[in-house]
Every structure is written in structure tokens, then in C-alpha cells.
Amino acid sequence: MRKPIQSDVLVVGGGLAGIVTAIECLRAGKSVTLVDRDTPERLGGLALWAFGGMALVDTPLQRRMKLKDSPEIALADWLRFGELGEADVMPRQWATHYVEHSRTQVYDWVIDHGLKFMPAVNWVERGMQGDGNTLPRYHVVWGTSRLLTRRMIEVMHQANTGNRLTLLSCHRITALDAQNGTITGASGINEANGQEVHVSAQAVVLAMGGINGSHEETRANWVKSRPMPATMLNGAHPFADGKLHHLAASLGGNITHAGEMWNYAAGFPHPQPHFEGHGLSAIPCKSALWLDHAGRRIGPQPLVTGFDTHELCQRVAAQEKPYTWQLMNWRIAAKEFAISGSEHNQRIRDLQFPLFLKETLLGNHRLVKQMAAESKHFLVDNTLAGLCAKMNTLTGTQEVKPEVLQHSADAFDANFSRSDSVVNDDQIRRVEHARHWGPDKLRTCKPAPLQKPGTGPFIAIQMQLITRKSLGGLQTDLQSRVLNAAGQPMPGLYCVGEAAGFGGGGASGKRSLEGTFLPGCILTARAAARSINAGRGL
């Protein structure tokens, strides 16, 4: 074992929450050791690959768009949509903290570090009955979360005056050290050479992410009353395996709401996977028909994205087979199809505003062509019969009958053979509702027949549920101190970001208003650093 490392603060995990914690502690003059399992170039964790959407409350950008938001309105939306009860004491406290401070501690903080937001606020998670976001709050970082993360890494190194930062990549923590009930450091291993390492610190901050990178852990915590598909893709990372959660729990930490997860209903395998089972999360087209494994439109209420992701996941998980289909034409795909994350949003990621504007107005044909060329799960054909044959070839079955697929398209298109006054289709109503908000109108097609001449070839995308974020985690107070089962802080131990369920061990409840994750990392990290720098909880 190498000589023990002495630091004021040990941060376990090099994602956004861990990096922000390190920044704030370094700025206060603390010495910091940051331990991360991944390679140096992947420092930043999932935030490095995320899209960069943030749910923020009463911002200057909202005001410029004539949106009258407030912490009171946002909190009502949050508690109602997340179904947070009176017993959810710490999650409710964190929800309140979030809506009251996201403007100053996140929006202003991001701006102050030289970053910008795109000039439009998007409206997501509206709720099936208008019970979600009652107004648009989804702000997108210009440059995506990749630029945000790289900027924070740069800031962390700038704050490292006097060489007070020790950065250990490719290291895995295997034990937490405790003396008389106080956490005093941790032991680990260098996974590159097997060498053991020990770090002693006055404060240990757990920032290792959630549990959804391990399907074993995901399935073990799945809420029993909810349907669970036979197979799922991994949209998190295998390192997010929950082992450090259990390590903290073995010392008295309290894991809560572990069954609450923010998964997505429309994943498909990554054409160039970074790890086994790696999936991409599509942003499903609102105008596409969502079909079951046999090509029948899922109903009676059709599936439409943008309203309730939690409900979508349950509906998809309840299907007879663990995969579904999205049926569309090229017109719809070019206008609406997108993939979550920085990797496939290069115009935003690379700050190419003219090209972004062009693709928004004229259609992102580049991405559609790319997926058609790279993914065997993205099928294109000039006829529905030909598309049906390709769907069956992919699955190795004859589940989709040409006449069934044709009927699904014909039944939807029949809506347009009547006057607008007698159209009675919930998907069309929801699409029209989405188009009332300007930014969404730019990315949503005007309803039209699927088989309208001139709309290009037909496309079918095979989708399945993909794991993403944990909404539960280690229970924490508003100082990000880990609490035991009696609700008392564990001296010397903190938890931030997704590992803490983005605050309190489950701040979002059953549903997120979407975009609460990156801000949750920043808010919980800054809270932990304030407490550590003030000498509280040590």
C-alpha cells in the first residue's frame, strides 16, 4: 500500500456533483482528494454525455418569454407531480430548496462561469391531465452538458492553487473508515495496477452516482406493483452499481426511495456501444404512431411523449413483449426525431448556431440518415409492406402482419378524411396542444396523414425501456449530510447528486419535472461544501 493521503476533504466520484463540491472546497482553501473510477479523459461522468437541460424557476429567460413563474407555482407542480406525501420530510425540504434557489445558485452560477443558455425555454412533462409543469421551465445549456462539465473541470483546476487537489482516476473505493462513529476516510484500489490506496479526511463526500447502471440492482429495487420488462438497455453506466450505497448503509446510512427511477420508454442499442448493453435514449416523435410488438397501435389512450415519462415507462413495460415500435414517415422523423445527450446533438454541443437553426427549420435529415445507416433498429422502406418485412426480419418472427400494420396506419389517417370539427384522436389533440408553445411548434409537425403523398419513405424504430437515473438514494439533510435511520447526521459523511437521490434520498418523488438532475447535482454539492467549509457536521 502506498503512503496514506491526507486531505481535508475526500470526494468519491468525478461526476458533476463531485467536481462542484471540489471547486467550492478548493475555493475555501481546503485540500481535496477526488477519486474517480473512470479514465482521466472521461472525468465528468454521465454529465459529460448529457444533453444539458435544466428545470429552472423564474429566470430572466422565462421573463423575456412572458412566463410568470415563481417558487410557489413550481413547488406546487413538483409536489403534485411527484406525489410527495407528508411523510417525505427530507425530499419535500429539498424540493422547496430547489425551487427557491435554482435561479441564484444554478442559473446565475452557470452564467457567472461564462456559460450560456439557449434563447428558448421548452415545455416538457406537462402531465397527462395538465398536472406536471404548468408552464415551460426547461432551459438548455448552449454547448450541452459536455461544455458545462468541461468548464467545471477547468474551474476546478483553476481553484487548485498551492497544489491542494489530488486527482485519482481509475481508482475504486472499497471501504469507508470510521472511528467512534465518525467517518474518517476511505480505502480503495487502483484498478490499473491493483495498488491499494488510503485517504484520510475530515469530510468524505459520496458522489458516485445512482444504482441504475446495474440491472441486478435495478431489478432488486423495482417497485413490485409496477410492470417490469424482461429486458432493458443501460442508459446509465456499469460503474453506477449501488455498491457504495450499501457500504454507507452498512455503517448506518439510510437508503430511501430506491425503487423510484427516471427511466425512458424509447431506448435502442447504441450503434457504437461504450459498454455492454449500452443504449441511446430517443426523444420519441410526438407525431409517430406507437405500436406494440405486433404492429397494433397501443391504446386505448395512445402513447405520446412530453407529458408523463413515468406513465410512458409503465405502459411500455406492461406490453406483452419487451419492445415496441414507433411508426412514422420521413417528414415526421426529420422534424421531430432526436436523441438525448451531447453525442448526437452536435450543432448545440459544438456551438454551431446557424446550422442548428437550419436543421430546426428545414429538418434534421443528417441525423435521420445517420441512424438509418448505423442502426439496424432504425428501419426505412418506401412501402408499409416492405417495412413490415424488415420489422419481422429484425425480430426473427412473423409477429407483424402486413394487414395489421396497414390497418394501424389507415385508422389513424381516417381522422383526416373528416373535417377538423369531428377529429377525435387524443394523440392529435396532444400534438396540437404542444404546437401552441412556439419552441415546441418548431420541432413538432402539423398533424397530417401518415400516408400523405410526398412525406417520404416510412420508418419504424424498434424501442425498449432504457434505465437512466435513480430518484432515490442515501437520505440527506439540507447540508447534504448523510442521515441514519433515526434521522441523525453521520459525522464526517456527506452525499451529493444522484447518489443522494438529488437531495434527501428522493427529492423528486415518483416523477421528475425533467431537467432537475444537473441542477440537483449543483445544489446538493454547493450545500455540502458550505457545511464542510463552515466546519459543520465534522
Side-chain angles (χ1 to χ4, degrees):
M1 179 183 291
R2 62 186 285 183
K3 182 180 178 180
I5 298 170
Q6 303 280 340
S7 285
D8 296 324
V9 183
L10 166 62
V11 179
V12 182
L16 181 63
I19 291 168
V20 172
T21 304
I23 289 171
E24 298 288 73
C25 290
L26 287 167
R27 283 174 168 171
K30 302 289 186 183
S31 59
V32 176
T33 296
L34 178 61
V35 177
D36 188 57
R37 282 192 68 179
D38 223 325
T39 57
E41 64 272 12
R42 295 178 73 94
L43 181 67
L46 281 181
L48 196 63
W49 306 94
F51 181 49
M54 296 188 180
L56 302 170
V57 180
D58 195 20
T59 66
L61 184 53
Q62 282 181 302
R63 294 177 187 177
R64 285 200 294 272
M65 300 189 76
K66 312 296 185 188
L67 295 168
K68 296 181 179 179
D69 201 3
S70 71
E72 292 76 19
I73 296 171
L75 183 61
D77 291 351
W78 186 305
L79 298 180
R80 179 183 61 249
F81 201 48
E83 299 182 44
L84 287 161
E86 294 298 328
D88 295 311
V89 177
M90 295 316 305
R92 290 174 73 101
Q93 288 187 21
W94 271 104
T96 302
H97 179 81
Y98 184 111
V99 299
E100 289 179 348
H101 298 287
S102 69
R103 158 67 198 280
T104 56
Q105 292 198 31
V106 180
Y107 183 92
D108 292 348
W109 197 74
V110 167
I111 296 293
D112 289 345
H113 283 89
L115 297 161
K116 298 178 180 179
F117 290 94
M118 296 186 70
V121 183
N122 295 291
W123 197 357
V124 298
E125 293 303 299
R126 305 174 185 211
M128 295 303 293
Q129 307 300 327
D131 52 348
N133 281 302
T134 53
L135 49 81
R137 296 191 175 98
Y138 193 77
H139 300 61
V140 178
V141 176
W142 181 232
T144 72
S145 182
R146 179 174 297 188
L147 181 62
L148 167 69
T149 306
R150 287 178 172 171
R151 174 60 181 147
M152 290 302 105
I153 293 172
E154 180 182 43
V155 170
M156 179 178 68
H157 288 297
Q158 290 172 349
N160 180 29
T161 56
N163 294 319
R164 290 174 291 109
L165 173 65
T166 301
L167 180 58
L168 302 178
S169 297
C170 299
H171 281 66
R172 175 171 54 89
I173 294 299
T174 56
L176 295 175
D177 301 330
Q179 291 182 5
N180 301 320
T182 297
I183 305 302
T184 58
S187 300
I189 187 170
N190 183 334
E191 294 191 307
N193 58 23
Q195 187 178 51
E196 294 183 3
V197 63
H198 176 76
V199 182
S200 62
Q202 294 178 327
V204 176
V205 184
L206 300 178
M208 63 283 185
I211 67 170
N212 281 26
S214 163
H215 279 195
E216 180 182 1
E217 193 73 14
T218 299
R219 292 181 180 279
N221 287 287
W222 201 274
V223 176
K224 303 305 179 186
S225 61
R226 297 175 190 167
M228 180 170 56
T231 61
M232 295 179 283
L233 294 169
N234 188 349
H237 192 284
F239 290 166
D241 56 15
K243 290 181 179 178
L244 284 178
H245 289 76
H246 293 298
L247 190 59
S250 70
L251 297 175
N254 190 28
I255 302 173
T256 65
H257 300 84
E260 303 301 343
M261 307 169 190
W262 194 246
N263 301 322
Y264 290 105
F268 61 99
H270 197 306
Q272 291 89 37
H274 300 171
F275 46 82
E276 184 178 354
H278 186 194
L280 291 171
S281 177
I283 300 174
C285 302
K286 288 184 174 67
S287 301
L289 300 187
W290 211 318
L291 313 176
D292 68 7
H293 70 283
R296 298 170 297 218
R297 193 178 181 197
I298 298 173
Q301 186 178 61
L303 303 189
V304 187
T305 192
F307 293 89
D308 189 337
T309 297
H310 177 77
E311 174 70 13
L312 274 182
C313 286
Q314 292 203 70
R315 298 272 313 271
V316 165
Q319 296 301 306
E320 182 179 339
K321 294 290 180 72
Y323 59 87
T324 58
W325 297 97
Q326 274 223 320
L327 175 65
M328 66 198 80
N329 54 39
W330 194 279
R331 166 183 174 263
I332 292 171
K335 188 77 168 176
E336 300 184 15
F337 179 74
I339 300 172
S340 181
S342 63
E343 189 175 5
H344 292 90
N345 285 279
Q346 70 179 76
R347 304 308 184 202
I348 301 174
R349 183 194 68 211
D350 298 338
L351 309 179
Q352 300 171 337
F353 190 77
L355 289 174
F356 166 76
L357 191 61
K358 177 183 177 182
E359 290 181 349
T360 299
L361 296 175
L362 302 180
N364 194 347
H365 300 273
R366 171 189 54 81
L367 180 62
V368 178
K369 291 177 181 177
Q370 179 186 350
M371 287 300 104
E374 293 182 0
S375 174
K376 68 178 183 179
H377 301 270
F378 197 105
L379 308 175
V380 183
D381 200 274
N382 288 321
T383 68
L384 287 175
L387 191 66
C388 178
K390 291 180 179 179
M391 294 162 74
N392 286 329
T393 297
L394 178 64
T395 61
T397 70
Q398 293 298 314
E399 293 172 337
V400 183
K401 306 300 182 186
E403 62 272 18
V404 172
L405 191 65
Q406 186 68 54
H407 174 76
S408 295
D410 289 345
F412 176 77
D413 288 356
N415 285 286
F416 302 96
S417 65
R418 303 182 285 268
S419 68
D420 291 344
S421 60
V422 292
V423 169
N424 187 23
D425 186 280
D426 191 58
Q427 182 170 356
I428 294 173
R429 281 192 290 272
R430 292 188 181 277
V431 167
E432 291 285 14
H433 171 65
R435 284 172 51 83
H436 287 319
W437 179 241
D440 283 342
K441 185 176 182 179
L442 286 173
R443 300 297 300 268
T444 308
C445 290
K446 179 179 174 59
L450 186 70
Q451 301 170 86
K452 182 179 179 179
T455 55
F458 298 105
I459 296 172
I461 311 173
Q462 189 190 47
M463 306 283 200
Q464 59 180 302
L465 192 142
I466 179 171
T467 64
R468 187 59 174 167
K469 305 174 185 79
S470 303
L471 295 185
L474 287 165
Q475 190 175 47
T476 57
D477 63 10
L478 288 178
Q479 297 177 48
S480 290
R481 298 179 300 183
V482 175
L483 304 179
N484 60 25
Q488 297 301 310
M490 297 177 62
L493 188 62
Y494 295 78
C495 188
V496 296
E498 189 176 355
F502 300 100
S508 291
K510 295 179 180 179
R511 295 175 179 84
S512 168
L513 292 177
E514 183 67 297
T516 58
F517 310 118
L518 293 174
C521 288
I522 295 171
L523 286 167
T524 56
R526 298 192 72 191
R530 279 194 303 273
S531 180
I532 292 168
N533 295 335
R536 296 189 293 265
L538 302 179

